[in-house]
Amino acid sequence: MKTLIRLTLAVSALAIPALSFAQSAAPLTRAQVYEDLVRVEQAGYNPGESDDANYPSDIQAAEAKIAAQNGDHTTNEAVGGASTNGTSQAGTPRSGMTGNAVDSGQ
């Protein structure tokens, strides 16, 4: 019994680090980060400015300006990679069903 417990602990100790990677996308390269910095600087953001009181709003304004120029309709309020101003659909009604049973009083 002790051998089984030790074996289980050893296998789980080896398996947990392999399963704990959270990043699924490839990381950005230095060139991509530099290009992004150049774009926000051209849109009016100055990273050398020492006024930290306006930090989130001034870079968000520059990113919004870039998004408007590119025709993007996403906002900076996106959480976890998902925009908060979109729509979603959980599914479609089954065939033969005309409405929601709660709404129709059934």
Side-chain angles (χ1 to χ4, degrees), residues 13-43:
L14 294 173
I16 288 174
L19 300 174
S20 65
F21 292 109
Q23 272 189 335
S24 60
L28 295 175
T29 64
R30 289 179 186 224
Q32 290 169 325
V33 173
Y34 181 74
E35 289 172 5
D36 189 38
L37 179 61
V38 168
R39 277 195 298 271
V40 293
E41 285 177 340
Q42 289 174 346

mmCIF file of all heavy atoms in Angstrom, residues 13-43:
data_model
loop_
_atom_site.group_PDB
_atom_site.id
_atom_site.type_symbol
_atom_site.label_atom_id
_atom_site.label_comp_id
_atom_site.label_asym_id
_atom_site.label_seq_id
_atom_site.Cartn_x
_atom_site.Cartn_y
_atom_site.Cartn_z
ATOM 1 N N ALA A 13 3.942 14.255 -9.143
ATOM 2 C CA ALA A 13 4.979 15.288 -9.050
ATOM 3 C C ALA A 13 5.656 15.509 -10.392
ATOM 4 O O ALA A 13 6.078 16.625 -10.709
ATOM 5 C CB ALA A 13 6.009 14.903 -7.995
ATOM 6 N N LEU A 14 5.759 14.487 -11.199
ATOM 7 C CA LEU A 14 6.354 14.627 -12.523
ATOM 8 C C LEU A 14 5.364 15.165 -13.551
ATOM 9 O O LEU A 14 5.750 15.829 -14.502
ATOM 10 C CB LEU A 14 6.911 13.285 -12.994
ATOM 11 C CG LEU A 14 8.102 12.747 -12.183
ATOM 12 C CD1 LEU A 14 8.450 11.338 -12.652
ATOM 13 C CD2 LEU A 14 9.293 13.662 -12.311
ATOM 14 N N ALA A 15 4.083 14.892 -13.376
ATOM 15 C CA ALA A 15 3.078 15.284 -14.366
ATOM 16 C C ALA A 15 2.590 16.711 -14.180
ATOM 17 O O ALA A 15 2.253 17.380 -15.154
ATOM 18 C CB ALA A 15 1.896 14.325 -14.310
ATOM 19 N N ILE A 16 2.549 17.215 -12.971
ATOM 20 C CA ILE A 16 1.991 18.546 -12.712
ATOM 21 C C ILE A 16 2.748 19.651 -13.445
ATOM 22 O O ILE A 16 2.122 20.501 -14.075
ATOM 23 C CB ILE A 16 1.897 18.811 -11.197
ATOM 24 C CG1 ILE A 16 0.776 17.956 -10.617
ATOM 25 C CG2 ILE A 16 1.642 20.280 -10.905
ATOM 26 C CD1 ILE A 16 0.664 18.007 -9.119
ATOM 27 N N PRO A 17 4.080 19.695 -13.429
ATOM 28 C CA PRO A 17 4.747 20.775 -14.175
ATOM 29 C C PRO A 17 4.474 20.739 -15.676
ATOM 30 O O PRO A 17 4.395 21.782 -16.320
ATOM 31 C CB PRO A 17 6.233 20.545 -13.895
ATOM 32 C CG PRO A 17 6.273 19.784 -12.631
ATOM 33 C CD PRO A 17 5.043 18.944 -12.636
ATOM 34 N N ALA A 18 4.299 19.573 -16.234
ATOM 35 C CA ALA A 18 4.033 19.477 -17.666
ATOM 36 C C ALA A 18 2.644 19.997 -18.014
ATOM 37 O O ALA A 18 2.409 20.476 -19.118
ATOM 38 C CB ALA A 18 4.183 18.032 -18.130
ATOM 39 N N LEU A 19 1.719 19.935 -17.083
ATOM 40 C CA LEU A 19 0.349 20.370 -17.337
ATOM 41 C C LEU A 19 0.087 21.808 -16.912
ATOM 42 O O LEU A 19 -1.014 22.306 -17.093
ATOM 43 C CB LEU A 19 -0.625 19.441 -16.603
ATOM 44 C CG LEU A 19 -0.561 17.966 -17.005
ATOM 45 C CD1 LEU A 19 -1.464 17.140 -16.105
ATOM 46 C CD2 LEU A 19 -0.925 17.784 -18.456
ATOM 47 N N SER A 20 1.057 22.473 -16.332
ATOM 48 C CA SER A 20 0.807 23.784 -15.754
ATOM 49 C C SER A 20 1.127 24.950 -16.676
ATOM 50 O O SER A 20 1.088 26.088 -16.245
ATOM 51 C CB SER A 20 1.621 23.930 -14.461
ATOM 52 O OG SER A 20 2.997 23.908 -14.753
ATOM 53 N N PHE A 21 1.456 24.738 -17.927
ATOM 54 C CA PHE A 21 1.745 25.828 -18.841
ATOM 55 C C PHE A 21 0.453 26.527 -19.221
ATOM 56 O O PHE A 21 -0.469 25.915 -19.727
ATOM 57 C CB PHE A 21 2.461 25.325 -20.087
ATOM 58 C CG PHE A 21 3.848 24.825 -19.813
ATOM 59 C CD1 PHE A 21 4.137 23.484 -19.872
ATOM 60 C CD2 PHE A 21 4.851 25.711 -19.471
ATOM 61 C CE1 PHE A 21 5.404 23.017 -19.610
ATOM 62 C CE2 PHE A 21 6.122 25.262 -19.204
ATOM 63 C CZ PHE A 21 6.402 23.908 -19.268
ATOM 64 N N ALA A 22 0.392 27.839 -18.998
ATOM 65 C CA ALA A 22 -0.829 28.593 -19.252
ATOM 66 C C ALA A 22 -0.830 29.265 -20.617
ATOM 67 O O ALA A 22 -1.880 29.559 -21.158
ATOM 68 C CB ALA A 22 -1.026 29.647 -18.171
ATOM 69 N N GLN A 23 0.323 29.550 -21.184
ATOM 70 C CA GLN A 23 0.372 30.232 -22.462
ATOM 71 C C GLN A 23 0.127 29.247 -23.596
ATOM 72 O O GLN A 23 0.786 28.223 -23.695
ATOM 73 C CB GLN A 23 1.734 30.875 -22.683
ATOM 74 C CG GLN A 23 1.834 32.255 -22.144
ATOM 75 C CD GLN A 23 3.133 32.911 -22.583
ATOM 76 O OE1 GLN A 23 4.103 32.237 -22.865
ATOM 77 N NE2 GLN A 23 3.126 34.225 -22.632
ATOM 78 N N SER A 24 -0.815 29.601 -24.447
ATOM 79 C CA SER A 24 -1.070 28.758 -25.605
ATOM 80 C C SER A 24 -0.555 29.409 -26.890
ATOM 81 O O SER A 24 -0.305 28.728 -27.865
ATOM 82 C CB SER A 24 -2.561 28.467 -25.733
ATOM 83 O OG SER A 24 -3.266 29.665 -25.884
ATOM 84 N N ALA A 25 -0.430 30.730 -26.880
ATOM 85 C CA ALA A 25 0.052 31.440 -28.069
ATOM 86 C C ALA A 25 1.556 31.670 -27.947
ATOM 87 O O ALA A 25 2.118 31.695 -26.859
ATOM 88 C CB ALA A 25 -0.663 32.776 -28.204
ATOM 89 N N ALA A 26 2.179 31.856 -29.072
ATOM 90 C CA ALA A 26 3.619 32.119 -29.086
ATOM 91 C C ALA A 26 3.878 33.507 -28.508
ATOM 92 O O ALA A 26 3.110 34.442 -28.737
ATOM 93 C CB ALA A 26 4.150 32.034 -30.504
ATOM 94 N N PRO A 27 4.949 33.678 -27.748
ATOM 95 C CA PRO A 27 5.249 34.997 -27.188
ATOM 96 C C PRO A 27 5.667 35.980 -28.281
ATOM 97 O O PRO A 27 6.091 35.577 -29.364
ATOM 98 C CB PRO A 27 6.406 34.723 -26.225
ATOM 99 C CG PRO A 27 7.015 33.461 -26.701
ATOM 100 C CD PRO A 27 5.913 32.673 -27.350
ATOM 101 N N LEU A 28 5.534 37.262 -27.978
ATOM 102 C CA LEU A 28 5.913 38.294 -28.936
ATOM 103 C C LEU A 28 7.433 38.376 -29.039
ATOM 104 O O LEU A 28 8.145 38.179 -28.060
ATOM 105 C CB LEU A 28 5.374 39.648 -28.491
ATOM 106 C CG LEU A 28 3.859 39.806 -28.450
ATOM 107 C CD1 LEU A 28 3.504 41.161 -27.870
ATOM 108 C CD2 LEU A 28 3.283 39.651 -29.833
ATOM 109 N N THR A 29 7.900 38.698 -30.207
ATOM 110 C CA THR A 29 9.331 38.905 -30.400
ATOM 111 C C THR A 29 9.680 40.343 -30.029
ATOM 112 O O THR A 29 8.793 41.194 -29.899
ATOM 113 C CB THR A 29 9.734 38.640 -31.856
ATOM 114 O OG1 THR A 29 9.082 39.610 -32.692
ATOM 115 C CG2 THR A 29 9.356 37.231 -32.292
ATOM 116 N N ARG A 30 10.956 40.621 -29.890
ATOM 117 C CA ARG A 30 11.393 41.987 -29.594
ATOM 118 C C ARG A 30 11.004 42.944 -30.706
ATOM 119 O O ARG A 30 10.637 44.093 -30.462
ATOM 120 C CB ARG A 30 12.905 42.028 -29.390
ATOM 121 C CG ARG A 30 13.348 41.389 -28.112
ATOM 122 C CD ARG A 30 14.847 41.439 -27.978
ATOM 123 N NE ARG A 30 15.267 40.701 -26.817
ATOM 124 C CZ ARG A 30 16.173 41.132 -25.964
ATOM 125 N NH1 ARG A 30 16.770 42.282 -26.161
ATOM 126 N NH2 ARG A 30 16.502 40.404 -24.923
ATOM 127 N N ALA A 31 11.074 42.473 -31.929
ATOM 128 C CA ALA A 31 10.710 43.317 -33.070
ATOM 129 C C ALA A 31 9.233 43.684 -33.024
ATOM 130 O O ALA A 31 8.855 44.830 -33.313
ATOM 131 C CB ALA A 31 11.046 42.611 -34.378
ATOM 132 N N GLN A 32 8.369 42.737 -32.644
ATOM 133 C CA GLN A 32 6.944 43.022 -32.561
ATOM 134 C C GLN A 32 6.646 44.017 -31.447
ATOM 135 O O GLN A 32 5.817 44.914 -31.613
ATOM 136 C CB GLN A 32 6.169 41.728 -32.337
ATOM 137 C CG GLN A 32 6.168 40.808 -33.536
ATOM 138 C CD GLN A 32 5.618 39.436 -33.203
ATOM 139 O OE1 GLN A 32 5.815 38.926 -32.100
ATOM 140 N NE2 GLN A 32 4.928 38.836 -34.160
ATOM 141 N N VAL A 33 7.312 43.869 -30.308
ATOM 142 C CA VAL A 33 7.122 44.808 -29.199
ATOM 143 C C VAL A 33 7.604 46.197 -29.596
ATOM 144 O O VAL A 33 6.941 47.203 -29.321
ATOM 145 C CB VAL A 33 7.862 44.301 -27.937
ATOM 146 C CG1 VAL A 33 7.834 45.345 -26.829
ATOM 147 C CG2 VAL A 33 7.249 42.997 -27.456
ATOM 148 N N TYR A 34 8.737 46.273 -30.288
ATOM 149 C CA TYR A 34 9.273 47.562 -30.734
ATOM 150 C C TYR A 34 8.323 48.225 -31.734
ATOM 151 O O TYR A 34 8.070 49.434 -31.648
ATOM 152 C CB TYR A 34 10.662 47.379 -31.352
ATOM 153 C CG TYR A 34 11.274 48.674 -31.796
ATOM 154 C CD1 TYR A 34 11.785 49.582 -30.875
ATOM 155 C CD2 TYR A 34 11.320 49.008 -33.141
ATOM 156 C CE1 TYR A 34 12.341 50.782 -31.278
ATOM 157 C CE2 TYR A 34 11.869 50.209 -33.559
ATOM 158 C CZ TYR A 34 12.375 51.091 -32.626
ATOM 159 O OH TYR A 34 12.902 52.287 -33.031
ATOM 160 N N GLU A 35 7.767 47.451 -32.674
ATOM 161 C CA GLU A 35 6.814 48.000 -33.637
ATOM 162 C C GLU A 35 5.581 48.546 -32.935
ATOM 163 O O GLU A 35 5.059 49.601 -33.307
ATOM 164 C CB GLU A 35 6.410 46.923 -34.646
ATOM 165 C CG GLU A 35 7.504 46.548 -35.620
ATOM 166 C CD GLU A 35 7.128 45.340 -36.475
ATOM 167 O OE1 GLU A 35 5.979 44.864 -36.376
ATOM 168 O OE2 GLU A 35 7.994 44.873 -37.238
ATOM 169 N N ASP A 36 5.109 47.846 -31.914
ATOM 170 C CA ASP A 36 3.953 48.304 -31.157
ATOM 171 C C ASP A 36 4.274 49.604 -30.421
ATOM 172 O O ASP A 36 3.462 50.527 -30.388
ATOM 173 C CB ASP A 36 3.508 47.216 -30.178
ATOM 174 C CG ASP A 36 2.189 47.540 -29.511
ATOM 175 O OD1 ASP A 36 1.296 48.095 -30.187
ATOM 176 O OD2 ASP A 36 2.049 47.249 -28.305
ATOM 177 N N LEU A 37 5.459 49.685 -29.840
ATOM 178 C CA LEU A 37 5.872 50.908 -29.153
ATOM 179 C C LEU A 37 5.960 52.082 -30.119
ATOM 180 O O LEU A 37 5.502 53.187 -29.811
ATOM 181 C CB LEU A 37 7.215 50.697 -28.452
ATOM 182 C CG LEU A 37 7.788 51.894 -27.704
ATOM 183 C CD1 LEU A 37 6.854 52.336 -26.591
ATOM 184 C CD2 LEU A 37 9.157 51.563 -27.153
ATOM 185 N N VAL A 38 6.492 51.856 -31.304
ATOM 186 C CA VAL A 38 6.584 52.920 -32.312
ATOM 187 C C VAL A 38 5.187 53.382 -32.709
ATOM 188 O O VAL A 38 4.929 54.590 -32.823
ATOM 189 C CB VAL A 38 7.390 52.438 -33.538
ATOM 190 C CG1 VAL A 38 7.255 53.407 -34.706
ATOM 191 C CG2 VAL A 38 8.839 52.242 -33.170
ATOM 192 N N ARG A 39 4.247 52.449 -32.875
ATOM 193 C CA ARG A 39 2.868 52.815 -33.250
ATOM 194 C C ARG A 39 2.210 53.683 -32.185
ATOM 195 O O ARG A 39 1.565 54.682 -32.513
ATOM 196 C CB ARG A 39 2.034 51.565 -33.499
ATOM 197 C CG ARG A 39 2.195 50.982 -34.878
ATOM 198 C CD ARG A 39 1.102 49.974 -35.191
ATOM 199 N NE ARG A 39 1.125 48.825 -34.301
ATOM 200 C CZ ARG A 39 1.824 47.720 -34.515
ATOM 201 N NH1 ARG A 39 2.541 47.610 -35.609
ATOM 202 N NH2 ARG A 39 1.790 46.729 -33.668
ATOM 203 N N VAL A 40 2.336 53.315 -30.905
ATOM 204 C CA VAL A 40 1.685 54.125 -29.868
ATOM 205 C C VAL A 40 2.375 55.468 -29.688
ATOM 206 O O VAL A 40 1.715 56.452 -29.359
ATOM 207 C CB VAL A 40 1.564 53.371 -28.512
ATOM 208 C CG1 VAL A 40 0.621 52.204 -28.619
ATOM 209 C CG2 VAL A 40 2.888 52.952 -27.966
ATOM 210 N N GLU A 41 3.685 55.512 -29.921
ATOM 211 C CA GLU A 41 4.372 56.807 -29.858
ATOM 212 C C GLU A 41 3.902 57.719 -30.987
ATOM 213 O O GLU A 41 3.715 58.921 -30.798
ATOM 214 C CB GLU A 41 5.885 56.631 -29.921
ATOM 215 C CG GLU A 41 6.493 56.122 -28.630
ATOM 216 C CD GLU A 41 7.984 55.872 -28.731
ATOM 217 O OE1 GLU A 41 8.512 55.722 -29.858
ATOM 218 O OE2 GLU A 41 8.630 55.828 -27.679
ATOM 219 N N GLN A 42 3.698 57.162 -32.176
ATOM 220 C CA GLN A 42 3.208 57.953 -33.306
ATOM 221 C C GLN A 42 1.774 58.407 -33.077
ATOM 222 O O GLN A 42 1.344 59.422 -33.620
ATOM 223 C CB GLN A 42 3.300 57.145 -34.598
ATOM 224 C CG GLN A 42 4.719 56.950 -35.074
ATOM 225 C CD GLN A 42 4.811 56.021 -36.280
ATOM 226 O OE1 GLN A 42 3.860 55.325 -36.617
ATOM 227 N NE2 GLN A 42 5.976 55.998 -36.905
ATOM 228 N N ALA A 43 1.026 57.674 -32.245
ATOM 229 C CA ALA A 43 -0.359 58.041 -31.942
ATOM 230 C C ALA A 43 -0.449 59.051 -30.802
ATOM 231 O O ALA A 43 -1.539 59.455 -30.422
ATOM 232 C CB ALA A 43 -1.168 56.793 -31.593
#
